[in-house]
Amino acid sequence: MILPIYLYGHPVLRKKCEDVKAEEKEEIKSLVADMFETMYNSEGVGLAAPQIGKTINVIVIDGDVLGDKFPECKDLKLTLINPRLTVITDRDPVTREEGCLSLPGLSENVKRHEHIRLEWLDEDFNPHEKEFSDFASRIIQHEMDHLEGAVYTDRIAPIRKQLIKSKLNNISKGKVDCDYKVKFLNK
Ligand code: NI
């Protein structure tokens, strides 16, 4: 089932998410399926639960479409339940452009760590641990921010934020031009 995506400005995107419990497994499985469907429908490469209105630690990622430009994203399909991220500081942070399904029509330069280690459960609640770098690491960090109630515009320079203020206002009022179903404040 394709779900509406909550837009920037909605308070659900500002909540800190909670871990999922093992007894919620079946419910989570169906939610994860809906999240993948919703993400593919909106041509995103990642989606975090708050973006569909749920304040739980669940993320879906499929970066394969970026594989030509970023080889580390080829076949990068992940369901992250209760993920924990550790930054590895062997490489310098890098600034690159990124966007978000909750902020349609906008992209900004964001500085991110290049190398991380992640621990998570998959949709069968099996534990995994792996290191990610470059754009794969960026996608994961972007989605992890959502679980903390943060969005990427929290990380841009104040002057840039000032410059895009009216665009952000429009997004929060639902004045967006996108092909997928959205939900915004007071609606
Ligand atoms: Ni996002």
Side-chain angles (χ1 to χ4, degrees), residues 51 99-101 142-143 146:
Q51 296 181 276
C100 178
L101 293 174
H142 174 115
E143 301 309 330
H146 280 301

Side-chain angles (χ1 to χ4, degrees), residues 7 102-105 167 170-178 182:
L7 294 183
S102 294
L103 292 110
K167 280 188 187 172
N170 283 339
I171 292 171
S172 65
K173 288 176 192 150
K175 293 180 191 165
V176 290
D177 184 20
C178 61
V182 296

Side-chain angles (χ1 to χ4, degrees), residues 1 71 124 128 170 178:
M1 183 173 55
D124 295 313
H128 298 265
N170 283 339
C178 61

